[in-house]
Amino acid sequence: MLIFQDIFNTDEFMSDIFPFTLEYDDCIMKVQSSYKAPEDVGNVDIGCGNAFGGGEEEQAGGDAAPKEKVIDVIYNANLQQFFMSKSEFMAYIKDYFGRVVKYLEENGKADRVPTFKKGCTAFIKFIVPKFDDIEIYVGASKHEDDDLSGGLAISYWEDDSAAGPVVYFFKDALKEVKC
């Protein structure tokens, strides 16, 4: 299994248990999330139905009270919602992209910089007009003093009939770690 960690700290942002596509010149990882009960996040359906038990409360009628639902991709990595204004977001993104470019250059990936700049600029042009409809998430270790030294994830409902919002990650700002 692969875990995708922030390049600036050890925050986990995603796992390869969630299928993703690469978009915007392979700079953006796009993941379709879904709302699930917290205990179901990370469980993989292998097509055996109820062969191994569990789910008895559902068969017996269960509890009539609605259960809490979470966005699986966000919950799995313990990402925390972070609020900022559009102008704060734009200032953050400018600084963040500069830090990612510096990281790429210092880590033997300078040839990736033009593609990163082009792809991420196109993505920002896509997402900024939708700013009031997005949610921003940061890693679990974000400091209480609102120090945004790490990366972020962005969720957006592209399709109202989907099981959850799409979650976007900046691929070049994540490193793969095998577990």
Side-chain angles (χ1 to χ4, degrees):
M1 176 166 66
L2 289 177
I3 300 295
F4 297 93
Q5 286 183 335
D6 190 313
I7 59 173
F8 299 115
N9 58 38
T10 59
D11 285 347
E12 176 183 329
F13 268 74
M14 203 185 83
S15 164
D16 68 349
I17 65 169
F18 299 103
F20 63 89
T21 59
L22 292 175
E23 298 189 357
Y24 296 94
D25 292 319
D26 294 344
C27 294
I28 301 296
M29 297 168 70
K30 179 179 176 181
V31 182
Q32 179 59 60
S33 70
S34 62
Y35 276 97
K36 293 183 176 177
E39 61 272 11
D40 293 336
V41 174
N43 292 338
V44 178
D45 181 0
I46 57 173
C48 294
N50 197 27
F52 298 105
E56 289 83 5
E57 59 277 344
E58 291 176 16
Q59 294 174 354
D63 187 354
K67 293 187 178 186
E68 173 191 17
K69 299 278 185 165
V70 295
I71 300 172
D72 56 358
V73 176
I74 301 299
Y75 185 82
N76 189 66
N78 195 26
L79 300 179
Q80 308 298 312
Q81 189 169 9
F82 190 81
F83 299 95
M84 64 175 76
S85 69
K86 190 178 203 178
S87 61
E88 290 170 328
F89 174 76
M90 294 305 294
Y92 170 80
I93 283 296
K94 182 178 179 182
D95 175 66
Y96 182 62
F97 285 175
R99 290 187 295 127
V100 173
V101 165
K102 183 177 178 182
Y103 173 87
L104 292 172
E105 291 171 343
E106 291 175 349
N107 287 278
K109 299 177 182 180
D111 58 330
R112 180 79 181 139
V113 170
T115 304
F116 171 78
K117 287 181 178 180
K118 181 182 172 209
C120 288
T121 299
F123 173 71
I124 293 302
K125 287 181 180 178
F126 162 75
I127 207 71
V128 167
K130 300 160 181 43
F131 188 80
D132 291 338
D133 297 322
I134 68 171
E135 291 183 352
I136 299 168
Y137 293 89
V138 296
S141 72
K142 184 200 76 61
H143 302 290
E144 293 300 319
D145 60 2
D146 292 341
D147 172 25
L148 284 176
S149 59
L152 54 79
I154 298 171
S155 75
Y156 172 67
W157 281 89
E158 284 188 353
D159 179 0
D160 290 338
S161 66
V166 170
V167 182
Y168 299 100
F169 300 92
F170 296 96
K171 179 184 153 256
D172 295 288
L174 299 174
K175 60 185 170 193
E176 295 180 8
V177 177
K178 289 187 179 191
C179 293

